[in-house]
Amino acid sequence: MGKNEKTGLGRALVRQHNQLVQQTKEKGLMYKRQQKKVLESVTEVSDIDAIVEQADEADRLFSLDHPAPNLLIDLDGNEITPEQGREQKRKEEALHAGSLRVPRRPVWTPQMSVEELDNNERQAFLTWRRSLARLEENDKLLLTPFEKNLDIWRQLWRVVERSDLLVMVVDARDPLFYRCPDLEVYAREVDKHKRTMLLVNKADLLPLSVREKWANYFCSQDILFVFWSAKAATAATEGKNLSSPWTEDNLHESEDPDTKIYGRIELLARLQSEAEEIVRLRKSGSNDSRSGSVVGNSASSNVVVGFVGYPNVGKSSTINALVGQKKTGVTSTPGKTKHFQTLIMSDELMLCDCPGLVFPSFSSSRHEMIASGVLPIDRMTENREAVQVVANRVPRHVIEAVYRIDLPKPKSYELQSRPPLAAEFLRAYCASRGYVASSGLPDETKAARQILKDYIDGKLPHYQMPPGMTAEEDNVGNVLPEHHKSGSSDDENSEDDEGEDEPELDHALEDLNSFDIANGLATKKKVAVRKPTAPHKQHKKTQRKKDRSWRVGNDGGDGMPVVRVFQKPANTGPVKVG
């Protein structure tokens, strides 16, 4: 009897122990999945994925009586001209400009549970996604790919709340493309004393005259900005000389604080002074209502400067240059930084790095985002479209000087100032480099990736002017390095000089004939193909001069040659000898 009781008690203890072990394993796996979850950027999803994702979120967060989005199909086939289409697109973009907002974090308190906070954030994010989906249904609007992963936006929310000064890193060659005005509005909503600064990175790729124009534009728009070059600062720290595509005159430091390129020490001092000014203004208005995160920042001993922006604009490179050593991973592939991280520079200053985010915007295609370095180059499937963006932005003579190639000239019936076609650019580049695919055709994929990388790295000089100003094409050609200017050989120059003296009428007729044949206006004439001569028959033997001394000139002047006549003696038969 006692033995059976001991056996039952032991089995109960064993079962209880096994249940505790199993529960511990399940909890451990759950926490492990939450902590070691890979944070991946998602900018493009298929229609099926978007529908399934929205359906799952709707089932979790909304009731079944929530109205579904109305999908309308426009069957009106009215034709409009391209100018009218562009004008309608501008009006639609101006009308819906306020809808391109950064997702806001819902109001939260420290007393909220993790599940409640997670549900509120997912519900707010789904509402934001649905508002953008309605914009994508409009045929007159073109919405760029944007970040669709909630966890990436959560990193931005944390950086905005923790930072006193929010630094938006942009590319100096096109600052307005990388600027997100609504992010500045969101920072003001979190704390009215927060300020946003534009850190114009890669400023060494701009000539001084262009920097002056951008500085005037930023000052007129009341935008806080600083010109900076992370690559130049890193090279200066390591004691290296940085080569630039611009002349030495444009690289000289300017005395004007608005146009000068800041160094490492100067930028750290400027960031700290701006952040301390924000903290001082916040403390002076301490009686105002503030969120819990702002109170935490004001109570801390150091000021926090957060860095945000698009992928591949140089946030991690800037952090490494300011710290003086490699603290964050840097690659040419956008999206290297996965989580925000804080770096303590001193007792008064702390830096905060945020993963790169692709903000929603209008009037730019996916190919422009690949050429701008926002989307990875290795994932592109249409090479010519992305290379065409480069060909449209970089002048023809600059491409020829940098790569030392000769692009095909426009036809006589085409606009002579048109940019080169992507097919012409790629074929000329492949021919000069010897890029041939396995099929025997030019390897345009390899050439396109190399051209785009050179475009992003600054090997192909280019820049955008402020709104209302025209680009100075001659300035781009004059600031090319000497080794780029001397790309053409003497033989090429001599050929060009000889071609200028020849009449252009035959070439124009040939171009018009090819145009008529391409459009079916004329039939193609059969041209006799000459068979190539064998190599051993190409060298002809020297012919012997024939003896033409029998010809005699005509003294009569009638133009007919006089021929000597040799008369044969008559055959009189055998001679009889008597």
Side-chain angles (χ1 to χ4, degrees), residues 375-407:
L375 299 180
I377 297 176
D378 297 332
R379 296 182 185 177
M380 70 175 178
T381 56
E382 298 175 351
N383 303 320
R384 293 187 176 182
E385 285 75 5
V387 174
Q388 189 63 51
V389 176
V390 178
N392 293 339
R393 295 181 179 179
V394 183
R396 178 187 294 269
H397 66 277
V398 176
I399 297 176
E400 294 179 342
V402 170
Y403 289 128
R404 301 185 180 182
I405 59 178
D406 291 330
L407 297 175

Side-chain angles (χ1 to χ4, degrees), residues 320 323-330:
N320 293 335
V323 174
Q325 56 183 343
K326 187 174 181 180
K327 289 293 184 181
T328 59
V330 178

Side-chain angles (χ1 to χ4, degrees), residues 209-239:
S209 59
V210 179
R211 291 207 307 266
E212 291 176 351
K213 293 181 179 180
W214 275 112
N216 296 333
Y217 174 78
F218 291 145
C219 293
S220 64
Q221 299 295 324
D222 195 17
I223 298 175
L224 185 63
F225 69 97
V226 167
F227 285 109
W228 158 259
S229 175
K231 191 175 181 179
T234 303
T237 304
E238 298 175 354

Side-chain angles (χ1 to χ4, degrees), residues 143-195:
L143 197 63
T144 62
F146 57 92
E147 185 59 54
K148 299 177 177 63
N149 189 357
L150 174 60
D151 295 331
I152 300 288
W153 290 104
R154 283 172 172 167
Q155 307 294 318
L156 176 67
W157 293 342
R158 297 178 187 179
V159 172
V160 172
E161 292 178 354
R162 291 171 61 93
S163 303
D164 298 310
L165 174 66
L166 196 64
V167 177
M168 190 182 304
V169 185
V170 298
D171 196 319
R173 293 168 291 184
D174 194 1
L176 299 183
F177 175 80
Y178 299 93
R179 183 195 174 203
C180 182
D182 189 65
L183 184 60
E184 303 174 6
V185 177
Y186 176 52
R188 291 278 187 174
E189 292 177 1
V190 175
D191 180 13
K192 65 179 182 180
H193 299 288
K194 283 185 187 290
R195 295 196 66 184

